[in-house]
Amino acid sequence: MDLYDEDLSENKFFRSLADKFPNLFDVATCNRCTICVPCVGSLLGFKFSKENIDSHVLVPVEEKPCCFVTVNGKELTIQSNVVTRGNGFTLTDPIPVLFEETFFNANDESYMVLCIAQPLDGATAVGDSQSKDSVLNSFTDYTTFLWGETGGEKNKKLVDQAIGSFIGRLHHLERESLTKHIDATSDLFTKAMQIVLKNRHLKKPAFQDSALMENVKIAVEAYVLHCVYKPLFAGICSCLAAHDEQLNKITRNLHELQLRDVGVRLEFCRNIPRARKELGYLMSYSTPLGKLNCLKRAVRSLMQPVQRANQTGNPLALTTDDLLPMLIFLVVKMEMPNWWANLTYMTSFHFAKSSNHDEYGFYLACLEAALEHVGAGQMEALMDGVETAQACFFSQ
Amino acid sequence: MATSSSGARDNSFKIVLLGEGAVGKTSLVLRYVENKFNDKHITTLQASFLNKKLNIHGKRVNLAIWDTAGQERFHALGPIYYRDSNGAILVYDITDEDSFQKVKSWVKELRKMLGSDIALCIAGNKIDLEKDRHVPAEEAESYAKSVGAKHFHTSAKLDKGIEELFLDLSKRMLEKAGEVEQKANGTNRSTSARRNVVIVDDEPEQKSRGCCS
């Protein structure tokens, strides 16, 4: 799900270039060359010779965008995040660029470092860049991941017991504040993490590998919150009932709202139906991350490339001022009875925050801004304005 | 879901972008994150949320750049976007005096709501239109100084001053993050706005995201 990431200053290739070939490194960085660094998992069997390293230091070819020549004279192109090797290389299969990072030389001038999936030259064995990473997607994945190992059954029983007693205590929280709900659920999550990490097979590797630890957290959160979802979400809904009722009252009066009333740019209208469909699945997800990914897909579909109305040649930029009106329109039209409860569930009950939380944070802020705008009666005022304008028009 | 580690040297910073509609803040940020190796013929450039990875002399910095709603009708929604941000870039158009006044009111609002925790940069954009300048450079610079912000002269069109602006802002955010960390060593970070989950264990290697990360 996330994009690949690693700390390049710890990468053996990068270290070797900087420490063992300081002259080449100085020349490369002073001249602001682009440096390709094979990802850590692909370096098994790589020969750290001058010749092989030279093949990874690139100088752009003037007047030819995307074309480069290495410092030992080999040619390649980089387009759509894929490196294609040309003259001088023995192998020619395309190599994906995993990510780019901007570095700075002693004069604070930038140079680009590209992390690529495998070496351009000098690999003896084909290493697999991402094989060790496990991607968890379904509930079955989570349960296998958590309880599959030896001792898993016992731990599952303990976690299930904790979940059982949490559900038993939930009705005591009725009429209690949202904070109490959050604290109780957070306690349950922490307790479940402690039980799961007692497992010898998981404990040591998880404390050494932060990616694995992130996966453990995500899996535990998914398991626990899926199990308690129904009663817990009902509790959250009653905490936010006043907010949601007020919003619903307003949206009911806005059923005649049109895209143009909200000021949606014409070019983006085509993306609305798909986003609406995506967002329609929100209630079918039981975990905060499930809902977050649903929201992400919806917002992403609003950002899809569109056909340009005018052929100016410049691509159209989608700003927050463009995004907000579309979300406002969706909030009004979706007939979702508990927007605020859903938003709160995603913001305050997602304990296993991952490294890309900032991106989710942005989507959440946009949804919150849309709810706030509609709830504050801004749209009603606008519709009144429209009616008044129409009334004026007809009375003339 | 997570595919790789984020090391101890990683810093994630949130930067908000503020400015009136026509000052060119979108071109400025798109110029900065421009992916030189991507298809040129795509028709929409997503400019509301952008990421950029930097490595400043061994310190990894992950910038999350948030565009904010600039239209007046959305003014009340500002805090939803700028809360918890580590830095702000306030953009005005050097040919438009009103856009500079708008920057001043944003600065006031940010300082009032976020105090000195936030690092500010003011960008006088469109220096390619120097002959139509309506905001005197000295005035803008001394104003920036008076509010503890750094001023940069930029042009998205000519790609001038933009990289310097982001690098300077990133360095100042790193400094602030360092200060916070020093203060936090010994005292409890009770003022933290973000919720952290701490898993108690007998092996104290567990590291959760800090409040200022």
Side-chain angles (χ1 to χ4, degrees):
Chain A
M1 199 116 258
D2 290 10
L3 297 170
Y4 179 81
D5 188 46
E6 68 171 278
D7 188 344
L8 293 175
S9 19
E10 278 176 14
N11 180 295
K12 225 174 139 190
F13 178 96
F14 192 79
R15 286 261 55 93
S16 168
L17 170 61
D19 299 340
K20 293 193 187 128
F21 303 96
N23 291 341
L24 173 62
F25 186 66
D26 279 351
V27 171
T29 55
C30 287
N31 292 303
R32 308 178 66 184
C33 295
T34 295
I35 300 172
C36 287
V37 175
C39 69
V40 65
S42 71
L43 287 170
L44 208 72
F46 179 79
K47 284 204 197 70
F48 292 86
S49 66
K50 172 85 165 45
E51 178 68 14
N52 284 338
I53 290 186
D54 278 347
S55 301
H56 292 80
V57 179
L58 322 180
V59 182
V61 179
E62 269 182 51
E63 308 279 314
K64 272 191 182 171
C66 307
C67 293
F68 295 87
V69 58
T70 66
V71 289
N72 54 4
K74 300 176 180 181
E75 292 169 13
L76 54 90
T77 57
I78 307 177
Q79 235 171 346
S80 306
N81 292 322
V82 172
V83 184
T84 312
R85 289 170 287 185
N87 280 346
F89 287 102
T90 37
L91 292 169
T92 53
D93 50 316
I95 298 175
V97 175
L98 301 172
F99 65 88
E100 56 173 83
E101 193 160 307
T102 308
F103 281 61
F104 298 88
N105 64 24
N107 300 324
D108 266 352
E109 294 167 320
S110 67
Y111 62 94
M112 196 66 82
V113 177
L114 303 178
C115 180
I116 55 176
Q118 60 191 65
L120 298 167
D121 245 352
T124 47
V126 179
D128 192 354
S129 57
Q130 290 169 27
S131 59
K132 76 178 177 80
D133 302 319
S134 46
V135 176
L136 305 175
N137 275 323
S138 68
F139 189 70
T140 330
D141 283 352
Y142 292 130
T143 49
T144 326
F145 177 72
L146 284 178
W147 323 122
E149 303 278 350
T150 331
E153 268 310 306
K154 202 183 91 202
N155 288 336
K156 183 176 182 294
K157 223 170 165 181
L158 287 172
V159 172
D160 286 344
Q161 272 170 8
I163 289 171
S165 78
F166 172 84
I167 294 176
R169 273 180 287 126
L170 254 184
H171 70 269
H172 293 303
L173 286 177
E174 263 177 60
R175 314 223 166 272
E176 286 284 1
S177 70
L178 181 65
T179 323
K180 288 241 166 91
H181 282 84
I182 298 171
D183 289 344
T185 317
S186 167
D187 288 348
L188 173 66
F189 170 70
T190 308
K191 198 167 181 188
M193 278 300 288
Q194 284 165 349
I195 295 169
V196 167
L197 288 177
K198 282 214 174 89
N199 190 334
R200 292 260 158 246
H201 298 277
L202 221 46
K203 181 177 176 172
K204 232 184 151 188
F207 275 105
Q208 280 161 358
D209 178 356
S210 60
L212 178 67
M213 181 59 99
E214 248 179 52
N215 275 339
V216 174
K217 285 188 190 174
I218 288 168
V220 166
E221 178 183 288
Y223 183 81
V224 170
L225 288 197
H226 175 77
C227 292
V228 303
Y229 178 64
K230 267 194 179 160
L232 175 64
F233 194 71
I236 300 169
C237 281
S238 68
C239 287
L240 288 146
H243 267 72
D244 273 323
E245 270 163 31
Q246 196 218 353
L247 185 73
N248 296 339
K249 219 170 78 191
I250 290 170
T251 54
R252 266 198 302 275
N253 290 331
L254 289 170
H255 62 274
E256 281 178 28
L257 189 80
Q258 302 288 315
L259 279 167
R260 60 171 181 275
D261 301 330
V262 212
V264 173
R265 266 165 77 179
L266 225 62
E267 295 94 322
F268 294 117
C269 288
R270 239 180 41 160
N271 288 337
I272 299 264
R274 231 189 94 198
R276 189 174 179 163
K277 196 176 155 216
E278 288 288 359
L279 212 47
Y281 296 122
L282 194 65
M283 280 312 289
S284 65
Y285 291 96
S286 58
T287 65
L289 202 58
K291 284 181 195 279
L292 274 167
N293 282 324
C294 174
L295 174 65
K296 174 177 164 176
R297 280 192 300 274
V299 179
R300 283 278 180 92
S301 38
L302 291 174
M303 295 171 170
Q304 282 308 300
V306 290
Q307 269 179 332
R308 259 195 315 269
N310 57 335
Q311 294 291 327
T312 50
N314 289 326
L316 209 61
L318 182 130
T319 66
T320 297
D321 276 327
D322 300 317
L323 196 56
L324 252 184
M326 294 196 271
L327 276 167
I328 289 169
F329 182 79
L330 288 175
V331 163
V332 170
K333 291 285 177 175
M334 292 286 300
E335 291 179 18
M336 170 86 72
N338 39 28
W339 273 120
W340 281 107
N342 273 292
L343 177 71
T344 308
Y345 187 61
M346 288 186 274
T347 45
S348 303
F349 291 81
H350 180 36
F351 307 108
K353 293 216 171 31
S354 67
S355 47
N356 77 337
H357 187 73
D358 285 331
E359 187 183 349
Y360 289 133
F362 179 76
Y363 301 136
L364 288 171
C366 287
L367 179 60
E368 183 182 343
L371 297 184
E372 196 66 65
H373 189 75
V374 177
Q378 299 289 337
M379 297 314 299
E380 279 189 309
L382 189 118
M383 289 301 276
D384 285 348
V386 172
E387 273 162 34
T388 327
Q390 277 171 350
C392 289
F393 178 79
F394 288 118
S395 66
Q396 276 173 358
Chain B
M1 300 245 163
T3 50
S4 196
S5 56
S6 39
R9 284 202 297 271
D10 287 18
N11 293 278
S12 291
F13 293 132
K14 172 178 165 185
I15 298 176
V16 282
L17 201 58
L18 300 153
E20 274 190 326
V23 297
K25 59 172 176 157
T26 308
S27 318
L28 190 136
V29 71
L30 283 176
R31 175 66 93 173
Y32 182 62
V33 300
E34 184 182 33
N35 185 338
K36 293 178 184 72
F37 316 112
N38 228 329
D39 294 324
K40 289 277 184 209
H41 56 261
I42 47 169
T43 46
T44 312
L45 291 171
Q46 201 283 104
S48 54
F49 175 83
L50 296 160
N51 272 114
K52 177 108 172 166
K53 285 179 183 179
L54 304 180
N55 195 312
I56 304 174
H57 310 304
K59 284 194 180 120
R60 297 193 85 198
V61 172
N62 197 352
L63 299 181
I65 308 166
W66 293 36
D67 182 31
T68 59
Q71 290 177 9
E72 200 46 48
R73 60 176 170 144
F74 298 136
H75 185 87
L77 306 173
I80 296 172
Y81 286 93
Y82 61 64
R83 69 184 167 209
D84 294 331
S85 52
N86 307 92
I89 298 171
L90 303 112
V91 192
Y92 69 93
D93 173 351
I94 62 159
T95 70
D96 176 5
E97 168 67 24
D98 285 348
S99 71
F100 182 59
Q101 294 309 323
K102 187 80 194 170
V103 161
K104 287 185 177 175
S105 69
W106 278 118
V107 169
K108 246 184 231 152
E109 186 174 332
L110 288 177
R111 286 285 184 228
K112 193 176 128 204
M113 307 295 281
L114 302 173
S116 57
D117 291 345
I118 185 167
L120 302 182
C121 260
I122 299 176
N125 196 31
K126 303 195 187 175
I127 53 166
D128 45 296
L129 301 175
E130 187 62 45
K131 58 177 181 5
D132 299 321
R133 179 186 275 279
H134 275 97
V135 181
E138 313 79 61
E139 187 193 325
E141 277 166 8
S142 72
Y143 168 74
K145 207 172 166 194
S146 73
V147 293
K150 271 272 181 74
H151 187 279
F152 284 85
H153 302 278
T154 60
S155 164
K157 200 173 165 189
L158 307 174
D159 196 3
K160 281 241 168 81
I162 300 171
E163 188 152 65
E164 291 84 341
L165 179 152
F166 277 95
L167 178 59
D168 178 82
L169 184 60
S170 303
K171 283 182 176 174
R172 282 192 290 141
M173 292 189 299
L174 276 172
E175 261 169 47
K176 278 190 197 280
E179 284 166 23
V180 172
E181 209 158 290
Q182 268 184 348
K183 264 188 225 160
N185 287 344
T187 56
N188 232 335
R189 271 188 262 184
S190 52
T191 48
S192 159
R194 294 190 185 178
R195 267 184 94 81
N196 293 327
V197 176
V198 180
I199 291 135
V200 185
D201 195 273
D202 44 6
E203 280 177 46
E205 289 161 316
Q206 163 66 13
K207 194 177 177 303
S208 73
R209 269 173 65 112
C211 67
C212 49
S213 58

